[in-house]
Amino acid sequence: MTAVAELMDYADVIERFNPVLGLEVHVELNTKTKMFCGCPNEFGGEPNTKVCPTCLGLPGALPVVNGKAVEGAIRIGLALNCEIAEWCRFARKNYFYPDMPKNFQTSQYDEPIAFNGYLDVTLDDGEVVRVEIERAHMEEDTGKSLHVGGATGRIHGAEHSLLDYNRAGVPLIEIVTKPIEGTGERAPEVARAYVTALRDLLRALDVSDVRMDQGSLRCDANVSLMAKDATEFGTRTETKNVNSLRSVERAVRYEMTRQAAILAEGGSIKQETRHFQEADGTTSSGRTKETAEDYRYFPEPDLVPIAPSREWVDELRGTLPELPSERRKRIQTEWSLSDEALRDLLNVGAVDLVAATVEAGASPDEARGWWVNTLAQEANAREVELADLPITPKQVAEVIGLVSSGELTNKLAKEVVQGVLAGEGEPRDVVDKRGLKVVSDDSALLAAIDEALAAQPDVADKIRGGKVAAAGAIVGAVMKATKGQADAKRVRELIIERVGS
């Protein structure tokens, strides 16, 4: 049984230490084929059915670079304000691991395709932090190991392991930041905000589906602490393959409190990889962290260098879409949003969803209300990202349209949304299946009103006496009788007419 780590109170950590972060984000590109062969680049499928001699590393099989992957790498570099290399090449990163069929990974080492960039990141309160990018380089993904038996699903304690090489050779871009210093207590928040901004940027470029739950976007979080009077960085740990935005923040915060407790007791930090435990937000030891020398990098002899012409780079620069930061500024102006309202949209990850809902026919205010309030609460309850809810902007726009046309009340609309989230079909399907359409027949409403007035004659007298507010009691009774499917405004009008006649 693993011992529970000692942790330092977070406020004490900040008082005694300066955190330093380094974030490495791996993004799988959405090319049709793999990085160095013609196998399909598709998620899932029966194990070992999307493989060939090249991605299996069989003797005599030679790789060929995927041109679309190079194009995607350059576009990512440009969007991150990087310099694009005039000449670069691949290298072999040597290490033995079962999910590496060749016993080396084809990657880039000292000659990446993109380098020296930055990404401006907006925090929850609107503060902007510039995160400097060291490099963005091309490589291939590994296969997957499935460890069978044991309690953790990891290799320790497993009875045996199975290997699936479908993912081996999938095009990867690894984006590495320079050391992120000076963020203090906001370091965990900066980490989450950076990965969020990077995900949004990659989605806008349409180079990846950035599905963290499927591993097409993964973050390795490097964390170290410096004493307040120190001049050199502390020893870092690397928490591997963190697969949600919330978990990035939790992993950084936990490592800060764990490392601080060790240092305060006079201990030292082991340079190692660690695994994040989603269940309790802790990290656990993996393996001793290798250095660059351990990987014995050397140039890949089977691939020619890549030398993108400046004309091609300029052509690709012209294909960049409106980037998220520019789009936010435009949307804020067009929708007349305050800085606070825009921050609310950003904080719940709703900008693109609201924009898509508006494009589908809804007004900005109505779309914003549904995503920021009702649906954000649903996402929190399910502990998922807003974009991962099983409802589309088009469906939300359709619900808003049903309310605008008078076919649904706001209360009924929420029931329809719940039905869509439950997988009951499109909004109109849910309306029909659940019988949620508004009762708009005046004769049916008058019958319910007469019944309510007969049951509460004193209320009718108050209304006749000029106390119009008393009509609320009759409205409530009618709404109950119609199971919430009446238009409350129309019911009130009919009550006043009925009592006054």
Side-chain angles (χ1 to χ4, degrees), residues 80-288:
L80 290 171
N81 305 290
C82 289
E83 299 176 47
I84 304 301
E86 295 187 16
W87 187 94
C88 63
R89 59 183 172 179
F90 286 96
R92 290 188 179 184
K93 181 180 182 181
N94 294 274
Y95 63 98
F96 173 77
Y97 207 71
D99 57 15
M100 294 291 297
K102 298 177 293 190
N103 285 344
F104 66 84
Q105 180 186 34
T106 306
S107 181
Q108 291 187 304
Y109 175 43
D110 55 346
E111 298 161 313
I113 193 165
F115 55 93
N116 196 28
Y118 67 86
L119 180 62
D120 287 332
V121 174
T122 303
L123 304 185
D124 290 349
D125 62 357
E127 180 183 345
V128 176
V129 175
R130 174 160 291 185
V131 176
E132 295 187 334
I133 306 297
E134 177 73 35
R135 56 193 280 146
H137 66 259
M138 299 179 288
E139 59 187 24
E140 60 181 338
D141 212 342
T142 62
K144 289 184 179 181
S145 299
L146 176 64
H147 305 297
V148 181
T152 65
R154 300 192 184 279
I155 194 168
H156 301 294
E159 296 173 358
H160 62 276
S161 297
L162 301 174
L163 297 172
D164 177 8
Y165 289 121
N166 280 347
R167 195 179 68 181
V170 165
L172 270 186
I173 305 299
E174 181 176 354
I175 302 165
V176 183
T177 70
K178 294 180 180 180
I180 304 170
E181 304 177 68
T183 56
E185 66 178 351
R186 306 194 76 174
E189 180 188 352
V190 169
R192 171 179 54 80
Y194 166 73
V195 179
T196 302
L198 187 57
R199 180 197 63 176
D200 293 344
L201 178 68
L202 296 166
R203 182 183 287 134
L205 292 170
D206 193 26
V207 293
S208 172
D209 64 11
V210 291
R211 289 284 301 272
M212 296 189 80
D213 60 316
Q214 293 183 358
S216 54
L217 185 71
R218 312 189 291 271
C219 178
D220 297 342
N222 293 271
V223 179
S224 66
L225 297 178
M226 300 171 61
K228 290 290 185 178
D229 57 352
T231 57
E232 296 183 0
F233 293 160
T235 301
R236 65 186 172 91
T237 63
E238 181 181 12
T239 303
K240 300 286 288 184
N241 296 329
V242 187
N243 62 4
S244 79
L245 300 174
R246 177 171 174 262
S247 294
V248 170
E249 183 170 6
R250 294 172 72 201
V252 169
R253 187 182 182 96
Y254 179 83
E255 269 303 286
M256 288 171 62
T257 57
R258 187 190 69 85
Q259 291 184 24
I262 293 172
L263 294 172
E265 291 295 322
S268 59
I269 304 302
K270 183 192 301 183
Q271 183 168 324
E272 63 181 352
T273 62
R274 297 183 67 83
H275 302 294
F276 182 69
Q277 311 298 330
E278 292 282 352
D280 57 10
T282 65
T283 66
S284 59
S285 181
R287 67 176 190 272
T288 301

Side-chain angles (χ1 to χ4, degrees), residues 394-440:
K394 183 179 179 182
Q395 290 170 328
V396 174
E398 185 177 347
V399 171
I400 291 171
L402 291 172
V403 174
S404 299
S405 67
E407 294 181 62
L408 292 177
T409 63
N410 283 325
K411 180 179 179 181
L412 293 176
K414 290 180 179 179
E415 288 192 51
V416 172
V417 166
Q418 288 300 320
V420 174
L421 291 170
E424 297 175 21
E426 296 298 315
R428 286 194 178 277
D429 296 332
V430 177
V431 170
D432 293 339
K433 290 175 183 176
R434 295 195 178 191
L436 296 176
K437 201 168 183 179
V438 166
V439 178
S440 55

